PDB file of all heavy atoms in Angstrom:
ATOM      1  N   ASP A1327     -32.231  83.837 102.199  1.00  0.00           N
ATOM      2  CA  ASP A1327     -32.179  84.895 101.198  1.00  0.00           C
ATOM      3  C   ASP A1327     -32.938  86.127 101.698  1.00  0.00           C
ATOM      4  O   ASP A1327     -32.436  87.306 101.565  1.00  0.00           O
ATOM      5  CB  ASP A1327     -32.763  84.492  99.889  1.00  0.00           C
ATOM      6  CG  ASP A1327     -31.890  83.464  99.171  1.00  0.00           C
ATOM      7  OD1 ASP A1327     -30.702  83.285  99.604  1.00  0.00           O
ATOM      8  OD2 ASP A1327     -32.395  82.785  98.238  1.00  0.00           O
ATOM      9  N   SER A1328     -34.083  85.964 102.290  1.00  0.00           N
ATOM     10  CA  SER A1328     -34.868  87.105 102.806  1.00  0.00           C
ATOM     11  C   SER A1328     -34.190  87.780 103.936  1.00  0.00           C
ATOM     12  O   SER A1328     -34.159  89.031 103.995  1.00  0.00           O
ATOM     13  CB  SER A1328     -36.260  86.655 103.181  1.00  0.00           C
ATOM     14  OG  SER A1328     -36.996  86.109 102.101  1.00  0.00           O
ATOM     15  N   ALA A1329     -33.675  86.997 104.916  1.00  0.00           N
ATOM     16  CA  ALA A1329     -32.969  87.569 106.035  1.00  0.00           C
ATOM     17  C   ALA A1329     -31.809  88.430 105.556  1.00  0.00           C
ATOM     18  O   ALA A1329     -31.596  89.559 106.086  1.00  0.00           O
ATOM     19  CB  ALA A1329     -32.543  86.484 106.970  1.00  0.00           C
ATOM     20  N   VAL A1330     -31.004  87.862 104.648  1.00  0.00           N
ATOM     21  CA  VAL A1330     -29.844  88.637 104.151  1.00  0.00           C
ATOM     22  C   VAL A1330     -30.263  89.896 103.420  1.00  0.00           C
ATOM     23  O   VAL A1330     -29.688  90.960 103.584  1.00  0.00           O
ATOM     24  CB  VAL A1330     -28.986  87.721 103.278  1.00  0.00           C
ATOM     25  CG1 VAL A1330     -27.896  88.539 102.540  1.00  0.00           C
ATOM     26  CG2 VAL A1330     -28.353  86.596 104.051  1.00  0.00           C
ATOM     27  N   ARG A1331     -31.331  89.802 102.639  1.00  0.00           N
ATOM     28  CA  ARG A1331     -31.800  90.957 101.856  1.00  0.00           C
ATOM     29  C   ARG A1331     -32.277  92.069 102.825  1.00  0.00           C
ATOM     30  O   ARG A1331     -32.021  93.241 102.542  1.00  0.00           O
ATOM     31  CB  ARG A1331     -32.946  90.514 100.944  1.00  0.00           C
ATOM     32  CG  ARG A1331     -33.370  91.643  99.982  1.00  0.00           C
ATOM     33  CD  ARG A1331     -34.288  91.129  98.912  1.00  0.00           C
ATOM     34  NE  ARG A1331     -35.587  90.709  99.436  1.00  0.00           N
ATOM     35  CZ  ARG A1331     -35.909  89.446  99.485  1.00  0.00           C
ATOM     36  NH1 ARG A1331     -35.150  88.449  99.114  1.00  0.00           N
ATOM     37  NH2 ARG A1331     -37.126  89.114 100.024  1.00  0.00           N
ATOM     38  N   TYR A1332     -32.966  91.703 103.865  1.00  0.00           N
ATOM     39  CA  TYR A1332     -33.411  92.708 104.819  1.00  0.00           C
ATOM     40  C   TYR A1332     -32.243  93.479 105.413  1.00  0.00           C
ATOM     41  O   TYR A1332     -32.279  94.689 105.612  1.00  0.00           O
ATOM     42  CB  TYR A1332     -34.306  92.132 105.922  1.00  0.00           C
ATOM     43  CG  TYR A1332     -35.571  91.477 105.429  1.00  0.00           C
ATOM     44  CD1 TYR A1332     -36.064  90.341 106.060  1.00  0.00           C
ATOM     45  CD2 TYR A1332     -36.274  92.008 104.394  1.00  0.00           C
ATOM     46  CE1 TYR A1332     -37.233  89.744 105.649  1.00  0.00           C
ATOM     47  CE2 TYR A1332     -37.490  91.449 103.927  1.00  0.00           C
ATOM     48  CZ  TYR A1332     -37.943  90.289 104.583  1.00  0.00           C
ATOM     49  OH  TYR A1332     -39.077  89.708 104.155  1.00  0.00           O
ATOM     50  N   ALA A1333     -31.210  92.737 105.740  1.00  0.00           N
ATOM     51  CA  ALA A1333     -29.979  93.374 106.277  1.00  0.00           C
ATOM     52  C   ALA A1333     -29.256  94.245 105.238  1.00  0.00           C
ATOM     53  O   ALA A1333     -28.875  95.362 105.547  1.00  0.00           O
ATOM     54  CB  ALA A1333     -29.051  92.320 106.913  1.00  0.00           C
ATOM     55  N   GLU A1334     -29.059  93.633 104.074  1.00  0.00           N
ATOM     56  CA  GLU A1334     -28.296  94.363 103.011  1.00  0.00           C
ATOM     57  C   GLU A1334     -28.984  95.563 102.404  1.00  0.00           C
ATOM     58  O   GLU A1334     -28.422  96.635 102.307  1.00  0.00           O
ATOM     59  CB  GLU A1334     -27.943  93.356 101.914  1.00  0.00           C
ATOM     60  CG  GLU A1334     -26.801  92.434 102.166  1.00  0.00           C
ATOM     61  CD  GLU A1334     -26.411  91.631 100.967  1.00  0.00           C
ATOM     62  OE1 GLU A1334     -27.286  91.361 100.145  1.00  0.00           O
ATOM     63  OE2 GLU A1334     -25.254  91.208 100.872  1.00  0.00           O
ATOM     64  N   GLU A1335     -30.264  95.340 102.079  1.00  0.00           N
ATOM     65  CA  GLU A1335     -30.953  96.353 101.291  1.00  0.00           C
ATOM     66  C   GLU A1335     -31.688  97.403 102.191  1.00  0.00           C
ATOM     67  O   GLU A1335     -31.796  98.546 101.798  1.00  0.00           O
ATOM     68  CB  GLU A1335     -32.018  95.722 100.394  1.00  0.00           C
ATOM     69  CG  GLU A1335     -31.333  94.821  99.308  1.00  0.00           C
ATOM     70  CD  GLU A1335     -32.372  94.165  98.406  1.00  0.00           C
ATOM     71  OE1 GLU A1335     -33.587  94.498  98.508  1.00  0.00           O
ATOM     72  OE2 GLU A1335     -31.966  93.328  97.578  1.00  0.00           O
ATOM     73  N   ARG A1336     -32.194  96.939 103.351  1.00  0.00           N
ATOM     74  CA  ARG A1336     -32.892  97.854 104.208  1.00  0.00           C
ATOM     75  C   ARG A1336     -32.109  98.311 105.444  1.00  0.00           C
ATOM     76  O   ARG A1336     -32.538  99.206 106.150  1.00  0.00           O
ATOM     77  CB  ARG A1336     -34.234  97.191 104.699  1.00  0.00           C
ATOM     78  CG  ARG A1336     -35.110  96.790 103.590  1.00  0.00           C
ATOM     79  CD  ARG A1336     -35.574  97.924 102.705  1.00  0.00           C
ATOM     80  NE  ARG A1336     -36.516  98.801 103.358  1.00  0.00           N
ATOM     81  CZ  ARG A1336     -37.329  99.644 102.769  1.00  0.00           C
ATOM     82  NH1 ARG A1336     -37.349  99.713 101.410  1.00  0.00           N
ATOM     83  NH2 ARG A1336     -38.097 100.449 103.425  1.00  0.00           N
ATOM     84  N   HIS A1337     -31.033  97.630 105.692  1.00  0.00           N
ATOM     85  CA  HIS A1337     -30.181  97.913 106.881  1.00  0.00           C
ATOM     86  C   HIS A1337     -30.982  97.677 108.197  1.00  0.00           C
ATOM     87  O   HIS A1337     -30.842  98.368 109.160  1.00  0.00           O
ATOM     88  CB  HIS A1337     -29.613  99.306 106.866  1.00  0.00           C
ATOM     89  CG  HIS A1337     -28.855  99.609 105.574  1.00  0.00           C
ATOM     90  ND1 HIS A1337     -27.628  99.000 105.265  1.00  0.00           N
ATOM     91  CD2 HIS A1337     -29.156 100.457 104.582  1.00  0.00           C
ATOM     92  CE1 HIS A1337     -27.215  99.417 104.145  1.00  0.00           C
ATOM     93  NE2 HIS A1337     -28.114 100.323 103.667  1.00  0.00           N
ATOM     94  N   TRP A1338     -31.827  96.619 108.106  1.00  0.00           N
ATOM     95  CA  TRP A1338     -32.632  96.268 109.293  1.00  0.00           C
ATOM     96  C   TRP A1338     -31.837  95.223 110.100  1.00  0.00           C
ATOM     97  O   TRP A1338     -31.192  94.322 109.510  1.00  0.00           O
ATOM     98  CB  TRP A1338     -33.957  95.673 108.864  1.00  0.00           C
ATOM     99  CG  TRP A1338     -34.945  96.592 108.332  1.00  0.00           C
ATOM    100  CD1 TRP A1338     -34.925  97.937 108.432  1.00  0.00           C
ATOM    101  CD2 TRP A1338     -36.102  96.270 107.533  1.00  0.00           C
ATOM    102  NE1 TRP A1338     -36.030  98.531 107.745  1.00  0.00           N
ATOM    103  CE2 TRP A1338     -36.721  97.488 107.179  1.00  0.00           C
ATOM    104  CE3 TRP A1338     -36.622  95.098 107.075  1.00  0.00           C
ATOM    105  CZ2 TRP A1338     -37.893  97.572 106.421  1.00  0.00           C
ATOM    106  CZ3 TRP A1338     -37.816  95.127 106.293  1.00  0.00           C
ATOM    107  CH2 TRP A1338     -38.426  96.358 105.988  1.00  0.00           C
ATOM    108  N   ASP A1339     -31.962  95.259 111.415  1.00  0.00           N
ATOM    109  CA  ASP A1339     -31.462  94.172 112.239  1.00  0.00           C
ATOM    110  C   ASP A1339     -32.384  92.992 112.073  1.00  0.00           C
ATOM    111  O   ASP A1339     -33.601  93.160 111.931  1.00  0.00           O
ATOM    112  CB  ASP A1339     -31.441  94.580 113.731  1.00  0.00           C
ATOM    113  CG  ASP A1339     -30.260  95.465 114.042  1.00  0.00           C
ATOM    114  OD1 ASP A1339     -29.427  95.713 113.125  1.00  0.00           O
ATOM    115  OD2 ASP A1339     -30.099  95.877 115.196  1.00  0.00           O
ATOM    116  N   VAL A1340     -31.777  91.772 111.998  1.00  0.00           N
ATOM    117  CA  VAL A1340     -32.581  90.551 111.740  1.00  0.00           C
ATOM    118  C   VAL A1340     -32.195  89.503 112.821  1.00  0.00           C
ATOM    119  O   VAL A1340     -31.065  89.472 113.277  1.00  0.00           O
ATOM    120  CB  VAL A1340     -32.248  89.976 110.356  1.00  0.00           C
ATOM    121  CG1 VAL A1340     -33.192  88.838 110.038  1.00  0.00           C
ATOM    122  CG2 VAL A1340     -32.395  91.089 109.266  1.00  0.00           C
ATOM    123  N   LEU A1341     -33.221  88.770 113.225  1.00  0.00           N
ATOM    124  CA  LEU A1341     -33.035  87.762 114.275  1.00  0.00           C
ATOM    125  C   LEU A1341     -33.630  86.414 113.844  1.00  0.00           C
ATOM    126  O   LEU A1341     -34.705  86.367 113.361  1.00  0.00           O
ATOM    127  CB  LEU A1341     -33.746  88.240 115.508  1.00  0.00           C
ATOM    128  CG  LEU A1341     -33.865  87.304 116.719  1.00  0.00           C
ATOM    129  CD1 LEU A1341     -32.515  87.240 117.415  1.00  0.00           C
ATOM    130  CD2 LEU A1341     -34.929  87.799 117.651  1.00  0.00           C
ATOM    131  N   PRO A1342     -32.806  85.312 114.051  1.00  0.00           N
ATOM    132  CA  PRO A1342     -33.428  83.981 113.781  1.00  0.00           C
ATOM    133  C   PRO A1342     -34.275  83.575 114.934  1.00  0.00           C
ATOM    134  O   PRO A1342     -33.979  83.701 116.117  1.00  0.00           O
ATOM    135  CB  PRO A1342     -32.153  83.061 113.688  1.00  0.00           C
ATOM    136  CG  PRO A1342     -31.163  83.734 114.560  1.00  0.00           C
ATOM    137  CD  PRO A1342     -31.429  85.193 114.402  1.00  0.00           C
ATOM    138  N   GLY A1343     -35.513  83.078 114.638  1.00  0.00           N
ATOM    139  CA  GLY A1343     -36.472  82.684 115.640  1.00  0.00           C
ATOM    140  C   GLY A1343     -36.774  81.218 115.590  1.00  0.00           C
ATOM    141  O   GLY A1343     -36.080  80.359 114.952  1.00  0.00           O
ATOM    142  N   SER A1344     -37.821  80.824 116.273  1.00  0.00           N
ATOM    143  CA  SER A1344     -38.241  79.421 116.295  1.00  0.00           C
ATOM    144  C   SER A1344     -38.829  79.045 114.956  1.00  0.00           C
ATOM    145  O   SER A1344     -38.891  79.865 114.015  1.00  0.00           O
ATOM    146  CB  SER A1344     -39.336  79.232 117.398  1.00  0.00           C
ATOM    147  OG  SER A1344     -40.450  80.054 117.109  1.00  0.00           O
ATOM    148  N   TRP A1345     -39.207  77.789 114.773  1.00  0.00           N
ATOM    149  CA  TRP A1345     -39.776  77.337 113.505  1.00  0.00           C
ATOM    150  C   TRP A1345     -40.830  76.258 113.775  1.00  0.00           C
ATOM    151  O   TRP A1345     -40.963  75.760 114.907  1.00  0.00           O
ATOM    152  CB  TRP A1345     -38.681  76.762 112.631  1.00  0.00           C
ATOM    153  CG  TRP A1345     -37.872  75.637 113.226  1.00  0.00           C
ATOM    154  CD1 TRP A1345     -38.178  74.285 113.163  1.00  0.00           C
ATOM    155  CD2 TRP A1345     -36.702  75.763 114.029  1.00  0.00           C
ATOM    156  NE1 TRP A1345     -37.200  73.573 113.862  1.00  0.00           N
ATOM    157  CE2 TRP A1345     -36.292  74.473 114.392  1.00  0.00           C
ATOM    158  CE3 TRP A1345     -35.897  76.850 114.435  1.00  0.00           C
ATOM    159  CZ2 TRP A1345     -35.178  74.218 115.190  1.00  0.00           C
ATOM    160  CZ3 TRP A1345     -34.804  76.629 115.221  1.00  0.00           C
ATOM    161  CH2 TRP A1345     -34.447  75.303 115.567  1.00  0.00           C
ATOM    162  N   LEU A1346     -41.572  75.837 112.783  1.00  0.00           N
ATOM    163  CA  LEU A1346     -42.610  74.831 112.935  1.00  0.00           C
ATOM    164  C   LEU A1346     -42.016  73.463 112.577  1.00  0.00           C
ATOM    165  O   LEU A1346     -41.211  73.347 111.617  1.00  0.00           O
ATOM    166  CB  LEU A1346     -43.760  75.131 111.972  1.00  0.00           C
ATOM    167  CG  LEU A1346     -44.615  76.346 112.380  1.00  0.00           C
ATOM    168  CD1 LEU A1346     -45.713  76.557 111.276  1.00  0.00           C
ATOM    169  CD2 LEU A1346     -45.268  76.190 113.694  1.00  0.00           C
ATOM    170  N   GLU A1347     -42.462  72.470 113.315  1.00  0.00           N
ATOM    171  CA  GLU A1347     -42.066  71.102 113.004  1.00  0.00           C
ATOM    172  C   GLU A1347     -43.288  70.194 113.453  1.00  0.00           C
ATOM    173  O   GLU A1347     -44.274  70.708 113.932  1.00  0.00           O
ATOM    174  CB  GLU A1347     -40.825  70.692 113.764  1.00  0.00           C
ATOM    175  CG  GLU A1347     -40.850  70.933 115.264  1.00  0.00           C
ATOM    176  CD  GLU A1347     -39.525  70.723 115.922  1.00  0.00           C
ATOM    177  OE1 GLU A1347     -38.489  70.817 115.292  1.00  0.00           O
ATOM    178  OE2 GLU A1347     -39.589  70.454 117.175  1.00  0.00           O
ATOM    179  N   ARG A1348     -43.157  68.906 113.202  1.00  0.00           N
ATOM    180  CA  ARG A1348     -44.249  67.989 113.567  1.00  0.00           C
ATOM    181  C   ARG A1348     -43.806  67.120 114.727  1.00  0.00           C
ATOM    182  O   ARG A1348     -42.644  66.745 114.870  1.00  0.00           O
ATOM    183  CB  ARG A1348     -44.584  67.087 112.406  1.00  0.00           C
ATOM    184  CG  ARG A1348     -45.198  67.853 111.218  1.00  0.00           C
ATOM    185  CD  ARG A1348     -45.588  66.852 110.099  1.00  0.00           C
ATOM    186  NE  ARG A1348     -46.106  67.559 108.981  1.00  0.00           N
ATOM    187  CZ  ARG A1348     -47.426  67.903 108.835  1.00  0.00           C
ATOM    188  NH1 ARG A1348     -48.247  67.600 109.796  1.00  0.00           N
ATOM    189  NH2 ARG A1348     -47.842  68.541 107.759  1.00  0.00           N
ATOM    190  N   ASP A1349     -44.801  66.775 115.616  1.00  0.00           N
ATOM    191  CA  ASP A1349     -44.497  65.856 116.700  1.00  0.00           C
ATOM    192  C   ASP A1349     -44.598  64.442 116.192  1.00  0.00           C
ATOM    193  O   ASP A1349     -44.752  64.176 114.953  1.00  0.00           O
ATOM    194  CB  ASP A1349     -45.372  66.088 117.902  1.00  0.00           C
ATOM    195  CG  ASP A1349     -46.884  65.883 117.563  1.00  0.00           C
ATOM    196  OD1 ASP A1349     -47.188  65.210 116.555  1.00  0.00           O
ATOM    197  OD2 ASP A1349     -47.739  66.383 118.320  1.00  0.00           O
ATOM    198  N   GLU A1350     -44.425  63.484 117.042  1.00  0.00           N
ATOM    199  CA  GLU A1350     -44.391  62.044 116.653  1.00  0.00           C
ATOM    200  C   GLU A1350     -45.740  61.649 115.992  1.00  0.00           C
ATOM    201  O   GLU A1350     -45.752  60.746 115.175  1.00  0.00           O
ATOM    202  CB  GLU A1350     -44.084  61.142 117.855  1.00  0.00           C
ATOM    203  CG  GLU A1350     -42.690  61.349 118.389  1.00  0.00           C
ATOM    204  CD  GLU A1350     -42.420  60.426 119.606  1.00  0.00           C
ATOM    205  OE1 GLU A1350     -43.382  59.740 120.051  1.00  0.00           O
ATOM    206  OE2 GLU A1350     -41.265  60.467 120.103  1.00  0.00           O
ATOM    207  N   GLY A1351     -46.795  62.326 116.348  1.00  0.00           N
ATOM    208  CA  GLY A1351     -48.112  61.984 115.798  1.00  0.00           C
ATOM    209  C   GLY A1351     -48.410  62.745 114.525  1.00  0.00           C
ATOM    210  O   GLY A1351     -49.488  62.575 113.910  1.00  0.00           O
ATOM    211  N   GLY A1352     -47.455  63.593 114.068  1.00  0.00           N
ATOM    212  CA  GLY A1352     -47.674  64.339 112.861  1.00  0.00           C
ATOM    213  C   GLY A1352     -48.350  65.692 113.081  1.00  0.00           C
ATOM    214  O   GLY A1352     -48.625  66.402 112.077  1.00  0.00           O
ATOM    215  N   ALA A1353     -48.654  66.017 114.320  1.00  0.00           N
ATOM    216  CA  ALA A1353     -49.360  67.292 114.579  1.00  0.00           C
ATOM    217  C   ALA A1353     -48.318  68.433 114.601  1.00  0.00           C
ATOM    218  O   ALA A1353     -47.184  68.226 114.963  1.00  0.00           O
ATOM    219  CB  ALA A1353     -50.068  67.212 115.940  1.00  0.00           C
TER     220      ALA A1353
END
């Protein structure tokens, strides 16, 4: 929703980036 709003309302270019996840030990 935020990514679409930045493009629609502000006419900003938007880019999908990396994200956080957990390793096998939960870190």
Side-chain angles (χ1 to χ4, degrees):
D1327 290 346
S1328 295
V1330 170
R1331 187 170 66 252
Y1332 296 145
E1334 279 186 333
E1335 297 180 6
R1336 302 298 292 200
H1337 305 293
W1338 290 341
D1339 283 358
V1340 188
L1341 173 74
S1344 61
W1345 58 89
L1346 291 176
E1347 54 188 24
R1348 293 182 182 274
D1349 62 19
E1350 294 180 355

